[in-house]
Amino acid sequence: NAGVMQNPRHLVRRRGQEARLRCSPMKGHSHVYWYRQLPEEGLKFMVYLQKENIIDESGMPKERFSAEFPKEGPSILRIQQVVRGDSAAYFCASSPDHSGNTIYFGEGSWLTVV
Amino acid sequence: GESVGLHLPTLSVQEGDNSIINCAYSNSASDYFIWYKQESGKGPQFIIDIRSNMDKRQGQRVTVLLNKTVKHLSLQIAATQPGDSAVYFCAENGVSGANSKLTFGKGITLSVRP
């Protein structure tokens, strides 16, 4: 998973605040995926983006969550008005295309809502 | 609904022994399967993958077996080492030809006894 950069690695937010998580994909990769991992569970798909486009957001909660992958800069996962249930590890992954290549994960951003 | 699940939550093996981690999947449309290793506080690390047109694939000290008839996937680790201690996840793509929305199992903890 070398090359997929996520920051911050750890983030603490009070209930009601906003959380912004950033992901820079591996060099040459234009496809980004966000997954969420609750404690002692597997990863759950949230959203799949290409540059400037959301391709599949079927795993995103309908409210408070949004994602973008602008032409320039990292992909951003934004969580507004955080609640304690948002506390989780958020992982970004990237791939060079959508044809079935392996996706590689970053080290994750751990969000704690207090 | 579709699901990927692991038969056992924990596995304890003696250092030097072989480990076998099993996984069941239910989506017959899946044609790509991956094993990931996750150490505490880190992101999922790719171990090995296999496509549905194969029933066995070998890597360095690891072998993945796929039985499409019974929808079963296994990971074999030869000569297990302390560094193999981690949580292991199987994942499937769920949609033929794509890898955008992996479905993960809950994970099994492998503990290596010295």
Side-chain angles (χ1 to χ4, degrees), chain A residues 17 22 26 32 44 46 69-72 107 110 114:
Chain A
Q17 290 185 321
R22 298 173 192 80
M26 289 181 69
V32 165
K44 303 287 187 190
M46 299 182 75
F69 189 17
K71 186 177 180 180
E72 301 292 337
E107 292 288 71
W110 267 258
V114 297

Side-chain angles (χ1 to χ4, degrees), chain A residues 27-47:
Chain A
K27 186 177 181 181
H29 287 191
S30 59
H31 298 244
V32 165
Y33 315 85
W34 286 93
Y35 285 75
R36 175 165 64 176
Q37 185 178 33
L38 296 173
E40 298 186 2
E41 291 194 7
L43 281 74
K44 303 287 187 190
F45 169 82
M46 299 182 75
V47 62

Side-chain angles (χ1 to χ4, degrees), chain A residues 54-70:
Chain A
I54 297 174
I55 307 302
D56 182 346
E57 56 181 348
S58 58
M60 287 275 274
K62 294 291 185 284
E63 298 178 349
R64 302 189 298 108
F65 284 72
S66 62
E68 62 177 10
F69 189 17

